[in-house]
Amino acid sequence: MIGDGMGLSAASAAMYTQARPLNLEQFSSIGFHKAHSSNSLKTDSAAGATAFACGVKTYNSAVGLNPDSTVCKNIIELAEAKGLATGIVVTSTIPHATPAAFYAHQPLRVFYDLIAEDFLASGIDFAVGGGKRYFDFRDSDDRNLIKELEQKGYVVRSFLDEDLGEFTINSTQKFVYFTNNEDPLPVMQGRNYLPYASRLATTFLEQHNENDKGFFLMIEGSQIDWAAHANQSDYMLGELLDFDETIGEMLEFANKNRETLIIVTGDHETGGVAINPKSKRKRLKIGFTTNDHTCSLVPVYAYGPGAELFRGIYENTAINRKMRDLLELDKSSGLFGRD
Ligand code: MG
Ligand code: ZN
């Protein structure tokens, strides 16, 4: 679970706006990762997510590539190859940088049409997010990737059909649901699907993995970052609490399931968020030092089997290695020498 741009001060602010503890406070194994990219102390979401997805530090703006621009294998590809079910649920567009790093390989994050094409080859079983237009009203060609997904056996639905909550899901078929043509709305403007879609993803993926090999699911609270870029604290808090509600759904699933590890982190800090003096509970004086990303260490919260491995201070790429070790993916390939 990636809270894009969710640093320690943002999480603190979310805690102090609530009367009750956050779901995040149930996590007992806490660590920090170093988010810097291959070419800068300041990472962007493309390089940050590539570190989680592939286990390599790459240059800012690159999606699923090594720093020499060769393709790096991501954890979803490894999981698919081993027969695990896979999914992504995001509050950005599906081809946005963070989710893209988990299925695409492109030199620039803004190549949305090409990233959408890479989605077709990914084998991802369940996806919910915005950006329908990169699939059916494309700038670069007249391909209809929704038709192509259907030809590959996907059920594809969108906000133009039924509401996600109305949808009776058939877990034998792969499923994509578009929540918007472009970016999904902020929570403040009525978006509310992340907790529900994430719960639906666990139900679907649990049923979809035929041989009981398990699943890998990436959930992103994408707009925490966008709010912090805009230095809008109410927007940011709304996104943080939505993300925390989603964490609560996942904890409920994991507590029943007993064999699911949940990892929550940010790809980097955004905004240089500060909780300034004279703040009071629920009346915080939130300040920002920048409208960009900052270079602080980012907290990692883990819960479930293997959670203790996430204690300590390590590179962001180590999160990928720890996940692969726990899932016993590609132990012998030697492709991933760079933590
Ligand atoms: Mg993102
Ligand atoms: Zn950002």
Side-chain angles (χ1 to χ4, degrees):
M1 302 185 72
I2 303 173
D4 197 315
M6 187 177 76
L8 191 54
S9 290
S12 314
M15 287 174 195
Y16 285 133
T17 56
Q18 294 301 96
R20 287 186 304 165
L22 293 188
N23 293 306
L24 192 58
E25 294 176 57
Q26 294 185 43
F27 287 65
S28 52
S29 290
I30 315 289
F32 291 95
H33 75 74
K34 298 180 187 177
H36 62 92
S37 67
S38 71
N39 67 334
S40 171
L41 205 56
K42 185 193 87 180
T43 194
D44 80 335
S45 294
T50 298
F52 300 150
C54 293
V56 295
K57 288 204 188 257
T58 192
Y59 58 92
N60 288 348
S61 285
V63 167
L65 298 183
N66 292 305
D68 63 1
S69 295
T70 56
V71 166
C72 60
K73 257 212 158 88
N74 62 57
I75 191 162
I76 283 192
E77 290 164 334
L78 295 172
E80 282 286 331
K82 210 186 158 192
L84 279 74
T86 60
I88 58 170
V89 179
V90 298
T91 53
S92 63
T93 64
I94 288 178
H96 209 263
T98 308
F102 286 83
Y103 64 82
H105 306 280
Q106 295 295 337
L108 288 177
R109 56 185 285 174
V110 293
F111 290 171
Y112 296 121
D113 280 7
L114 294 172
I115 290 169
E117 287 170 44
D118 284 352
F119 183 88
L120 262 74
S122 70
I124 288 178
D125 301 301
F126 182 99
V128 176
K132 181 169 173 280
R133 79 166 182 94
Y134 302 107
F135 290 77
D136 63 354
F137 285 99
R138 294 157 56 76
D139 293 333
S140 56
D141 58 38
D142 291 331
R143 280 173 71 179
N144 185 330
L145 302 188
I146 291 182
K147 288 238 159 64
E148 293 183 35
L149 280 168
E150 286 169 347
Q151 281 156 12
K152 282 178 168 278
Y154 281 85
V155 172
V156 185
R157 295 288 183 270
S158 79
F159 66 100
L160 297 170
D161 311 310
E162 52 266 87
D163 190 83
L164 188 59
E166 316 280 296
F167 199 82
T168 312
I169 201 155
N170 172 358
S171 64
T172 61
Q173 282 185 286
K174 293 175 183 245
F175 181 71
V176 176
Y177 187 91
F178 291 103
T179 57
N180 205 298
N181 274 323
E182 313 260 349
D183 292 334
L185 296 173
V187 169
M188 284 170 85
Q189 292 173 28
R191 191 198 76 234
N192 62 4
Y193 69 78
L194 188 65
Y196 177 74
S198 301
R199 192 171 75 216
L200 189 65
T202 56
T203 308
F204 175 95
L205 293 170
E206 209 184 15
Q207 290 168 7
H208 190 78
N209 81 105
E210 310 96 53
N211 307 317
D212 206 24
K213 289 186 174 167
F215 65 82
F216 176 87
L217 171 63
M218 193 285 286
I219 297 165
E220 186 195 21
S222 317
Q223 298 193 28
I224 299 166
D225 174 72
W226 304 356
H229 277 289
N231 288 186
Q232 291 178 12
S233 54
D234 286 349
Y235 179 12
M236 185 182 76
L237 288 167
E239 297 299 322
L240 284 161
L241 295 175
D242 180 65
F243 188 58
D244 187 66
E245 189 184 331
T246 309
I247 292 169
E249 292 285 352
M250 296 301 95
L251 284 168
E252 204 179 310
F253 173 81
N255 284 336
K256 276 197 211 114
N257 170 274
R258 313 289 292 176
E259 51 185 9
T260 301
L261 168 65
I262 308 173
I263 306 153
V264 179
T265 189
D267 48 355
H268 51 71
E269 199 277 342
T270 305
V273 176
I275 304 170
N276 280 325
K278 297 190 179 148
S279 288
K280 293 196 173 71
R281 278 179 189 273
K282 299 186 195 173
R283 295 219 314 274
L284 301 179
K285 297 207 174 299
I286 294 177
F288 297 88
T289 64
T290 177
N291 56 16
D292 201 344
H293 303 168
T294 65
C295 311
S296 319
L297 300 192
V298 181
V300 182
Y301 314 82
Y303 185 96
E308 61 287 348
L309 294 177
F310 292 82
R311 292 177 185 158
I313 298 177
Y314 39 80
E315 298 292 343
N316 54 359
T317 48
I319 294 175
N320 176 273
R321 176 172 294 280
K322 292 171 199 295
M323 293 192 296
R324 279 188 289 113
D325 285 349
L326 287 164
L327 290 169
E328 296 180 334
L329 300 172
D330 87 310
K331 271 195 169 152
S332 58
S333 82
L335 276 171
F336 298 90
R338 278 174 280 188
D339 275 0

